[in-house]
Each structure stands twice: as C-alpha cells, then as structure tokens.
Amino acid sequence: MNDDFKDIGAMIESKNSIYIVPHIMMDGDAMGSAAALCRALRKKKKTAWILTEDKIPDNLMFLDEGLTTDDAEKIESPDLCVLLDCGEESRYPKRKDAVAKSGKIICLDHHATSKAVFDMNHIDTEAAATGEIVYDLLCEMKVDMDKDIGEAIFAAITTDTGNFQYSNTTRRSHEIVAELYDLGIDHNKVSIEIYQSEPVEKIKLHGMVLGDIKIFGEGKAAIAKVTQDMLRKTGARMEDSEGLVSKLRDIKGVEIAALLKEQPDGEIKVTMRAKEYADVSKIAQKHNGGGHVKAAGCSLNCKTEEAQDIIENEICRELEDKRHNKYR
Amino acid sequence: MNDDFKDIGAMIESKNSIYIVPHIMMDGDAMGSAAALCRALRKKKKTAWILTEDKIPDNLMFLDEGLTTDDAEKIESPDLCVLLDCGEESRYPKRKDAVAKSGKIICLDHHATSKAVFDMNHIDTEAAATGEIVYDLLCEMKVDMDKDIGEAIFAAITTDTGNFQYSNTTRRSHEIVAELYDLGIDHNKVSIEIYQSEPVEKIKLHGMVLGDIKIFGEGKAAIAKVTQDMLRKTGARMEDSEGLVSKLRDIKGVEIAALLKEQPDGEIKVTMRAKEYADVSKIAQKHNGGGHVKAAGCSLNCKTEEAQDIIENEICRELEDKRHNKYR
C-alpha cells in the first residue's frame, strides 16, 4: 500500500539530516529527481545530500552543484534516507550500511520490481518517471519551487519518457512539464547538456558498432556487439555504448534488438529492447537478469560468439512464441 | 494583422471544396497539420484534399489514409485553398495555378518568412508548429476531434519541436499534447512510425560516416563526408544521410558541424549546423547557398578533398571571427 504524499511530507518535515539515495549507474531520472528533492530539502533548511557510490555520467554533471557526496560519513547519523528511483539493495550495494543506519527510510519509485518494504513507500508504476512523483510530493509539501528544481524535474521526465515518445508517457507528464515552464525553466539548455555533449570517442564507437549489425529472425531482430578491442580502437569507454541498443531497435521491421557488451573480465553483458509486442524481460530472467517487458538485460559467462548464439536463439524463440499467440 | 480563428472558421464553414497545400519537401508538421485539417473538413462533409507535388517521406506515410492527391484537377474549381506551414510561392511552385484558381486563400503558418498577403492569414511565429495553430482553429470550429486527428496534431508538434527539446517549445505545446491524450492518441505508435522505422541501410551508412569524423578548429568543429562509394557499400540512398549532421553537432565542444555529400554528378553538397553562437548561413551565402544562422547549406563544384579544404577554412575563419568578437 502506498503512503500518501501528505504523510510522507509530514515525515520529511519532521527530520533534519537526510540522505537521498538514487540507484547505481544513475540515469536522468535518478539524478534529476534526486537533485530536485535535495534542492527542495535545503530550501527547507535541512541538511541534505545525495549519496552516490559511482560516477555521475558526464552529461548529467550540470545537475550537480554541490549536491552529491560519495562519503557515507558526510552525515554522521542521518534521521532519514529517501531511496529514489530505487527500491532494492542491489541498486545501492555500497550504500546499504548508510541506508540501514538512517532513522527512517522512505522509498519513492516507479519500478514494478520495488516492493513497499520500507518505513514509508510510494511506488507508482503509472508514473513515467520518479521525477513526477517527486514533483507531486514537493507540491504537496508546498515547496517554493524555482528554476533549478524545475530543470531537474524536466531532466528526469524528458529522459525517462524518451523525450515524451515512450508508451509510459502520460497526460500527466505533459501537464507537469507545462507547469515547469512557469518556473522559467530553460528546457533547451537542459537538452543541450543532456544530448548535445557527446564525447567524440562515443560517436566513433557508435559508428563502428552500427557498421556491423546483424539482422536475423526474418528481419524482426537485430544484434550487435561492443568488444574491448573496439573500445581500444576508438578510445571510448563501455558507458559510451549507451543509446546503441535503441538505435538497433529503431531499424524498420525490427521487434527485438540486443547489444552484447564484452567486459574486461570476459563476461558478456546483454542489453535488450522490444519495440511493440515482444517481452525481453522473459529472456533476461531466464539468465538471471531482469528489467521491463520492453527493456531488460542479463549477463553471460562465455565467449562473445557463444553468447551471441544463445541470445539469438532466445530471441527467435520469443518471436516464434509471439507469432503463435498472435494467430491463436 | 492576423485574422482571428472565429473569422477563419466562418470562412471555412462557408466553403465546400477545399485544397490544403502544405510546403514541398514535407516534414512532420506540414503533413501532420494537413492531415488533421483534411480529416476535420471531411467530418464536416466538405470535399477536401491535401494537394502535393512531391513524394511523402516514408516515415510520414502512415498519416495519409486517402487524404492526398498530386492531381491538381482533382477539384475542378476549388472554393478555397488553405496554405499550411507555407506562405511563399517558392514553397508550392508546381501548385501555384491550383492555388491561384481557388476562390479564396487562407494562410496558416508559423514561419517568420511568411507575409499576411492572402485573403485571410494567421501567421503566429510563437507557435512551435503549424499543428498548434490548426488545433486551436479546430477547437474554435468545434470540430468533433478524434484519435486520428489527435495523432496527426501530435506528429506535427513532436517533430517540429524536436521532441519538445528545441527552444521553440512552449507551455502551450505541452498543454495541447495533454489535451490530445483525451482523444485517446497512441503517441508511442506515432513515434514508432516516425522514428523507429529506419532502413537498416541508413543505420549502416551512419555507422560508416561516424566512424570517420574529423575534429578540427581546436575541437570546436567536426566534418565528415558521404561518398557515392559509401552508398554503394551500404546500399543506402543519399537521403539516408539525413540526421547525420546533427550527430556531428551533438559532439561535446563542437560548435560548427559540416557534412559533405558527394552527388552522382560529382557536385559536393554541404550541410552545416551551429550549436550556440556561430553563424553558418554566412559561410553558405558566400558559396551561393542559404539557410538559417544555425542550419545552412551550399554546393561546391570540385573534388571532395578540395571541398573539404574550402569548408574547413571557412569554418576556422568563422570560429576565429566569433572568438575575436567575444573578447572585443
């Protein structure tokens, strides 16, 4: 059962030193909603920090103006921890002690995998972004929102909705953004920061990977790989493979796209996307991974070629399965 | 002076056979706003056709369900012509007779280059898309809007705002889209049609081109080329180079991006983009081209290597010029 914003707001108001804990491998929603909440709490004269355990992606650094710390001792005994866009220990492994030592724990999330197991919880899978939940909470708490808070919420919503194109986008997403304009947000500046600041090495890596796509499953599937050798040749990092799997999915006729990422230790991380009707989370779960119906991932411990065979077979099976169900 | 929607609506109500004329080289806004208006007029039992003079782009074909014709005799003597997203004869050259023979002409547009010289005009440069103007007109006319009309308006707005990221996007853009959700639009389906139907040959071409970018001008400029040989190797068409120059501009630190396109006859078409402060229209004009400050192009009659030298020099000069002006 979800706690309502009034009760969550009251709990937050009663606390003074607060950690905000977004998930590892932060995306725009994690960082954006955390930045918005952190700024709001500081406006209310709370001691508030976003506690991180890994690097903030370069294109989200503009959201962090002295808001983050990776020092779990920054607050000696936090009254409260707010888990944001994140409801499982595996999403904050190195911060679990800091979370555990907090007086109370609130979880605000929109992932179906999060369970309402904390002191207070608001998990709304209908929200396109955790940023929407934070926005509604800040409204309820009558926070005097400003341009910076607005831009952080905009960053959260625009990234998690794929610029308002994904099926998770709702009427409410647009209503909230319309309201953010009243705060004077510079949505174009946010977009330039997030999308027009690509390292050239990343662009070169994308070029190399996209030059070598395999289409299979009667044109309904696409697969490509990022190897350590490609990273060496382009000077890119594995994080720069971000966005590639969507480009594979964007190919006409492709329903399932997969990207194989060869890790330094030889492990193969697999990222998958479905376009309209297939379920890639089924494939991921079979190999101890997870995710959503249309976006999921897993890891395989084998050679790249072997991993490719396994994943191609799984994809063909899923496509076959859906084909049968369609005509049933 | 703009005519108001009430008067424009009354004029439309009084007419029966109507041509809708969007600009040549249709984009999502031209086709989307035309489709919405055409469907609305037919709902009102008018004879209405979108009159075209060139091919509808593949990714916009889904908007045309028997709405378009390239036969200027389809309506013998049209009572009315509505110019959409288009206010200059150069934007409908082969249709100028059909427009001229229409009883009345209304111009609905958001381009600053359009002048209010027709029988009735509504030119609103604050509107992010002509689709927004059409939406407001249809509301005023109390058209019983449906899902199809809504999806056409969504297509218009989402493409002309760069998925709500460009600086032209306003609070109103989001408000309108929020209202479109009430019509039951499937925004994700529209996005899949527009953006997720890329020919695999195009993706491969992009890969090949992006794998060979040159960065120069102290990291502030990027240039790449598309040769006939690359088209042969990937099976792509020159139109598939669309979107490449934006990817060059999106590179961190890059202010000016240029793409050289080798035509079958050896001519080199140059497409340029600026990110924040440079003016690429200056370079284009010098070589008998044209465009906007941040998006312009021209043609050169020389070998690719020579063209590349010329353009690189021009870009360095423009960057140098802006550097001086900055510190003046």
Side-chain angles (χ1 to χ4, degrees), chain A residues 62 147-148 151 186-194, chain B residues 165:
Chain A
F62 74 101
K147 187 169 177 279
D148 289 330
E151 290 180 351
D186 186 344
H187 64 279
N188 187 233
K189 189 205 76 183
V190 173
S191 297
I192 289 176
E193 293 282 0
I194 296 178
Chain B
Q165 308 300 307

Side-chain angles (χ1 to χ4, degrees), chain A residues 28-321:
Chain A
D29 188 22
M31 183 64 203
S33 56
L37 181 60
C38 189
R39 284 181 184 280
L41 296 178
R42 289 187 183 178
K43 276 203 146 190
K44 288 192 167 275
K45 309 290 178 212
K46 313 282 183 194
T47 299
W49 286 97
I50 302 170
L51 184 63
T52 63
E53 65 181 83
D54 53 2
K55 225 183 129 292
I56 301 168
D58 285 346
N59 67 336
L60 300 175
M61 294 280 277
F62 74 101
L63 291 169
D64 177 26
E65 291 179 305
L67 306 177
T68 65
T69 179
D70 58 3
D71 173 10
E73 301 301 316
K74 192 89 181 181
I75 303 176
E76 207 179 319
S77 53
D79 298 333
L80 178 68
C81 167
V82 183
L83 297 174
L84 267 194
D85 204 33
C86 161
E88 291 169 294
E89 221 172 82
S90 61
R91 307 256 280 170
Y92 54 91
K94 294 184 192 156
R95 291 166 291 175
K96 62 177 198 284
D97 294 339
V99 172
K101 77 173 177 184
S102 301
K104 292 282 178 184
I105 304 172
I106 296 173
C107 173
L108 305 178
D109 197 3
H110 70 133
H111 289 94
T113 42
S114 290
K115 302 278 166 268
V117 295
F118 302 95
D119 296 308
M120 297 192 96
N121 308 276
H122 193 97
I123 298 159
D124 178 2
T125 56
E126 298 289 306
T130 295
E132 295 185 10
I133 298 171
V134 168
Y135 179 80
D136 285 336
L137 172 64
L138 299 188
C139 288
E140 174 64 39
M141 290 174 70
K142 300 202 175 21
V143 170
D144 174 29
M145 282 193 253
D146 57 23
K147 187 169 177 279
D148 289 330
I149 293 177
E151 290 180 351
I153 300 279
F154 178 74
I157 298 177
T158 199
T159 52
D160 247 28
T161 59
N163 300 338
F164 309 94
Q165 308 300 307
Y166 295 162
S167 49
N168 65 348
T169 320
T170 64
R171 187 189 211 287
R172 182 75 189 132
S173 313
H174 286 282
E175 281 172 355
I176 292 173
V177 173
E179 290 171 24
L180 297 179
Y181 274 74
D182 297 338
L183 301 173
I185 62 162
D186 186 344
H187 64 279
N188 187 233
K189 189 205 76 183
V190 173
S191 297
I192 289 176
E193 293 282 0
I194 296 178
Y195 301 114
Q196 300 184 23
S197 308
E198 302 277 32
V200 65
E201 296 80 10
K202 175 175 174 176
I203 303 290
K204 286 184 176 173
L205 176 69
H206 282 215
M208 194 176 278
V209 174
L210 296 177
D212 195 29
I213 300 166
K214 178 176 173 186
I215 303 290
F216 63 102
E218 298 171 339
K220 292 195 177 61
I223 195 164
K225 48 185 182 288
V226 184
T227 64
Q228 291 293 316
D229 187 50
M230 286 168 157
L231 298 183
R232 268 189 300 273
K233 278 183 182 149
T234 56
R237 302 162 305 166
M238 191 52 90
E239 302 94 279
D240 294 327
S241 64
E242 188 250 311
L244 267 172
V245 71
S246 313
K247 288 181 187 164
L248 298 179
R249 181 208 53 203
D250 289 353
I251 295 172
K252 191 173 185 156
V254 166
E255 173 58 29
I256 300 183
L259 184 70
L260 306 175
K261 295 179 285 186
E262 186 194 84
Q263 305 299 306
D265 62 2
E267 187 193 41
I268 309 297
K269 284 203 173 167
V270 186
T271 312
M272 290 173 288
R273 292 287 183 278
K275 190 180 277 173
E276 293 183 86
Y277 55 82
D279 179 357
V280 288
S281 72
K282 260 169 47 187
I283 302 174
Q285 277 160 17
K286 226 175 181 175
H287 296 277
N288 301 314
H292 307 279
V293 171
K294 289 187 176 179
C298 59
S299 293
L300 296 174
N301 271 306
C302 57
K303 289 211 180 306
T304 314
E305 296 68 33
E306 205 182 320
Q308 182 161 348
D309 280 347
I310 293 171
I311 295 299
E312 284 185 19
N313 281 328
E314 295 284 12
I315 289 173
C316 288
R317 208 165 301 143
E318 168 62 11
L319 288 171
E320 189 64 13
D321 196 40

